Amino acid sequence: MEEGIEHRTVSVNGINMHIAEKGQGPLILFIHGFPDLWFSWRHQITALSSSGYRCVAPDLRGFGDTDAPPTPTAYTSLHIVGDLIGLLDAIAPSEDKVFVVGHDWGAIIAWYLSLYRPERVRALINLSAPFTPRNPKRKPLDTLRAVYGADYYICRFQEPGDIESEFDQIGTERVVKEFLTYRNPGPLYLPKGKEFGHPLDAPIVLPSWLSEEECNYYATKYGKTGFTGGLNYYRNLDLNWELTSPWTGAQIKVPVKFIVGDQDLTYNAPGMKDYIHKGGMKRDLPLLEEVVVMQGAAHFLHQERPLDINKHILDFFHKF
């Protein structure tokens, strides 16, 4: 499962960060989301390291074998991007620019990285989470509550300890499997005490692209850390909004390719298809080269369709 992948810990930005890496050549930084780990990128690391790239996939702050600071406000976009800049300075001091691939929260962090430090990004491929421009008139959580209500998963994640105690009752392995196998293109609701809408004794059937062994890896790591580190990213949505007021209306000026599954809840959010396809995204990302909508693919498309995603990454980065 991890053939030839090397693991080490790097001291960055005041924390110890675990990274997985393989290969020689131009560096590709892979940034995972929630509830994920470096392990999310196992198929990409194997394929791209054998195609002449140095693949580096960290566990982000709060995840896996990387430190998880106890303060919830230590998880803003500025902290996370600071970690990644520190990582690049430590492991690739001679590379001015690197390739970046992000998914889910990792894609959001990659947008921020490209916004704050565009001169460090050679080209970017983001999966699943489109860029969303800052609305100076409305805080994100107010918007989400107004559109979706209090049971929407991001709203349920806000109260520290609340959803964690529910996840404890459901069990770590089951929580991981529920997220990884979620295929409903509609919004994810987690009403209190409803356990993802399935009885706790109902078996979860894994798709062909996900094995028990792979689920066990996630469950083992989250069993040690809990989910709080990852949930803290959601708990900083409004603080990120406050801190990024200087970037209101700013464009992201790095070459971008965006890939999303047509079954992904992100793609099916209200207004999102219009934003992506009718000029909004191109306005905010002037160097957007291509949008790929993968038919029949859901949220974890790089694990579900690794061969397709690997080819997209190779074809795009090859231009640079």
Side-chain angles (χ1 to χ4, degrees):
M1 201 148 56
E2 293 182 42
E3 208 163 311
I5 297 176
E6 295 180 0
H7 295 266
R8 59 184 169 123
T9 301
V10 186
S11 177
V12 303
N13 196 24
I15 64 169
N16 294 308
M17 176 172 261
H18 163 252
I19 65 169
E21 63 179 325
K22 186 178 184 181
Q24 301 294 321
L27 193 148
I28 304 178
L29 176 66
F30 291 94
I31 314 175
H32 71 78
F34 176 87
D36 231 321
L37 300 162
W38 77 267
F39 189 67
S40 184
W41 301 108
R42 56 198 177 279
H43 306 299
Q44 284 70 42
I45 294 170
T46 307
L48 290 144
S49 63
S50 63
S51 302
Y53 290 94
R54 178 187 178 194
C55 298
V56 175
D59 281 338
L60 293 180
R61 171 185 294 241
F63 289 91
D65 294 317
T66 292
D67 286 352
T71 317
T73 50
Y75 293 80
T76 70
S77 60
L78 292 162
H79 291 88
I80 313 302
V81 172
D83 296 344
L84 296 175
I85 292 294
L87 175 64
L88 294 174
D89 288 347
I91 66 169
S94 61
E95 283 194 65
D96 297 338
K97 294 174 181 261
V98 301
F99 293 114
V100 179
V101 183
H103 171 255
D104 183 78
W105 258 106
I108 297 171
I109 296 302
W111 296 128
Y112 280 125
L113 171 63
S114 303
L115 189 62
Y116 302 152
R117 299 299 301 275
E119 80 285 0
R120 300 296 295 266
V121 180
R122 191 182 294 190
L124 167 64
I125 293 181
N126 262 347
L127 312 177
S128 175
F131 179 69
T132 46
R134 182 180 186 276
N135 181 345
K137 297 187 173 70
R138 238 181 9 203
K139 288 189 174 186
L141 284 176
D142 289 343
T143 304
L144 291 171
R145 286 195 184 102
V147 174
Y148 297 110
D151 284 343
Y152 186 56
Y153 77 105
I154 293 175
C155 303
R156 285 296 325 279
F157 285 177
Q158 293 306 312
E159 184 60 42
D162 180 34
I163 199 78
E164 286 96 328
S165 66
E166 284 199 46
F167 285 173
D168 283 346
Q169 289 165 1
I170 297 169
T172 303
E173 185 179 355
R174 188 171 181 94
V175 169
V176 165
K177 285 180 176 177
E178 288 276 18
F179 277 118
L180 291 174
T181 60
Y182 185 80
R183 287 193 77 79
N184 179 351
L188 172 57
Y189 293 105
L190 295 174
K192 204 170 179 67
K194 290 284 192 296
E195 287 86 29
F196 288 88
H198 309 134
L200 282 183
D201 53 359
I204 295 177
V205 180
L206 297 182
S208 57
W209 51 268
L210 189 64
S211 70
E212 284 290 344
E213 186 188 5
E214 288 167 325
C215 287
N216 284 341
Y217 184 90
Y218 283 109
T220 302
K221 292 298 177 187
Y222 276 99
K224 287 180 183 150
T225 62
F227 291 95
T228 299
L231 293 165
N232 281 339
Y233 287 62
Y234 296 92
R235 291 168 184 160
N236 282 280
L237 283 174
D238 279 354
L239 184 53
N240 283 337
W241 178 85
E242 290 177 25
L243 293 171
T244 53
S245 59
W247 288 273
T248 304
Q251 293 176 311
I252 290 183
K253 294 183 175 169
V254 304
V256 177
K257 179 175 186 170
F258 178 67
I259 309 174
V260 66
D262 71 344
Q263 299 301 301
D264 196 325
L265 73 170
T266 58
Y267 185 60
N268 292 280
M272 196 53 79
K273 289 176 188 170
D274 280 355
Y275 172 70
I276 291 171
H277 297 296
K278 294 189 176 172
M281 197 156 161
K282 181 67 178 173
R283 176 197 66 224
D284 296 326
L285 313 168
L287 303 184
L288 176 67
E289 294 202 10
E290 195 182 352
V291 171
V292 178
V293 180
M294 294 180 69
Q295 302 303 312
H299 186 66
F300 295 92
L301 67 177
H302 56 306
Q303 299 186 49
E304 185 180 338
R305 301 275 183 86
L307 297 177
D308 294 335
I309 295 297
N310 296 347
K311 186 174 187 314
H312 280 302
I313 295 172
L314 275 173
D315 289 350
F316 188 58
F317 288 168
H318 190 65
K319 298 179 185 180
F320 304 93

